[in-house]
Amino acid sequence: MQTELSMPASIRGNTSAYMDWVQMLTGAALIVFMWCHMLLVASVNLGTGVFDALAAFLEYTYMAQIGGPMIGVVFLVHFALAIRKIPVTSVQQKGMWNQARMLRHKDTWLWVVQAVTAMIILVMAGVHLWAILTNLPITTAKSAQRIQEGGWFWFYLVLLPMAELHVGIGFYRIGVKWGFVGRRGRKRFQMLEYAITGAFLAIGLVTLFTFATVSL
Ligand code: HEM
């Protein structure tokens, strides 16, 4: 089988462009998933009955059993494509760091934050997915017990900002890189990204507090 590097330059160029597309599309799908996920989990703030009813609906329609592993696969494909551009050796990382310091451009720093959060999310979201999907059905009682007695409160306190930063910056970068947002609209788009990230962080913290205090 031909590796990408042993292919003629024209084919290599196409392959790389397709990979960029799939990386963007899987990233966009994960952004939409995360927004829905945060709102679904936040339904516990409206009452434990609301959360349990939504979780039961996802179970009944097999969205949890089938959709859950599918998200895991999209997550892995996204990672496998994104790692092509993330500096992994210490020499590459040092080069990236020096370039970012030299360029002094906000978007370059945003990219550095995205690369660092990606590594943390890869491990933590993998653990989270396993913990949830091997312990179905999802119920308020189980989630609250995990958070109150299983030490998951601190785990989510780290994963939440990592995921929201990654999703927020990803949203901004898709808009800018793929030309959905022009140079003139960039500042306003950045403000929108800050607002969305801030709102989801706040919702996540309130939800975490609710799980931590709901009676078992
Ligand atoms: C199908 C996939 C997923 C399911 C079914 C799921 C389900 C859940 C559930 C039930 C909770 C409540 C807490 C608990 O029960 O332990 C939760 C919380 C959380 N999940 Fe997921 N999750 C999924 C994927 C992800 C992914 C991919 C990420 C991050 C990249 C993520 C990040 C979080 C965070 C940060 C919290 C804490 C929420 C908060 O502070 O309000 N989840 N998830």
Side-chain angles (χ1 to χ4, degrees):
M1 204 173 81
Q2 271 187 320
T3 63
E4 200 190 333
L5 280 177
S6 65
M7 293 174 188
S10 58
I11 300 178
R12 197 163 65 225
N14 281 347
T15 309
S16 187
Y18 285 131
M19 284 181 169
D20 269 1
W21 254 104
V22 180
Q23 183 186 333
M24 185 274 273
L25 291 175
T26 49
L30 288 170
I31 290 172
V32 174
F33 164 77
M34 273 314 286
W35 287 343
C36 296
H37 163 285
M38 293 308 288
L39 294 177
L40 284 172
V41 175
S43 67
V44 74
N45 297 302
L46 303 175
T48 56
V50 182
F51 181 89
D52 285 338
L54 282 171
F57 172 76
L58 294 181
E59 198 96 12
Y60 183 71
T61 52
Y62 287 92
M63 278 163 81
Q65 297 93 321
I66 297 171
M70 270 171 69
I71 288 296
V73 172
V74 175
F75 182 78
L76 283 180
V77 170
H78 182 69
F79 169 74
L81 294 174
I83 194 70
R84 293 173 301 148
K85 297 184 180 160
I86 294 182
V88 281
T89 65
S90 56
V91 174
Q92 289 171 336
Q93 284 163 357
K94 201 160 175 233
M96 177 66 214
W97 184 255
N98 290 339
Q99 289 234 353
R101 284 181 52 181
M102 190 183 74
L103 287 172
R104 288 167 186 260
H105 191 275
K106 189 186 69 256
D107 285 11
T108 309
W109 283 113
L110 289 181
W111 187 86
V112 173
V113 173
Q114 222 189 357
V116 172
T117 53
M119 292 302 133
I120 299 169
I121 291 171
L122 175 70
V123 177
M124 295 189 85
V127 171
H128 169 60
L129 277 175
W130 185 262
I132 301 282
L133 296 177
T134 55
N135 195 9
L136 292 174
I138 296 168
T139 62
T140 310
K142 273 199 230 168
S143 297
Q145 192 170 26
R146 247 194 302 273
I147 287 170
Q148 291 181 26
E149 294 172 356
W152 286 80
F153 179 83
W154 304 108
F155 181 93
Y156 288 135
L157 211 52
V158 176
L159 178 58
L160 176 67
M162 293 300 121
E164 293 313 328
L165 275 175
H166 193 82
V167 164
I169 296 173
F171 175 65
Y172 170 75
R173 284 178 52 84
I174 287 177
V176 170
K177 181 176 166 186
W178 293 86
F180 300 120
V181 179
R183 244 175 214 290
R184 285 170 55 206
R186 203 181 270 204
K187 242 202 160 72
R188 277 177 59 188
F189 190 54
Q190 177 93 76
M191 297 319 276
L192 174 69
E193 182 237 314
Y194 287 155
I196 293 176
T197 304
F200 276 106
L201 264 176
I203 292 172
L205 286 175
V206 170
T207 305
L208 209 48
F209 184 75
T210 303
F211 274 123
T213 51
V214 79
S215 54
L216 289 176

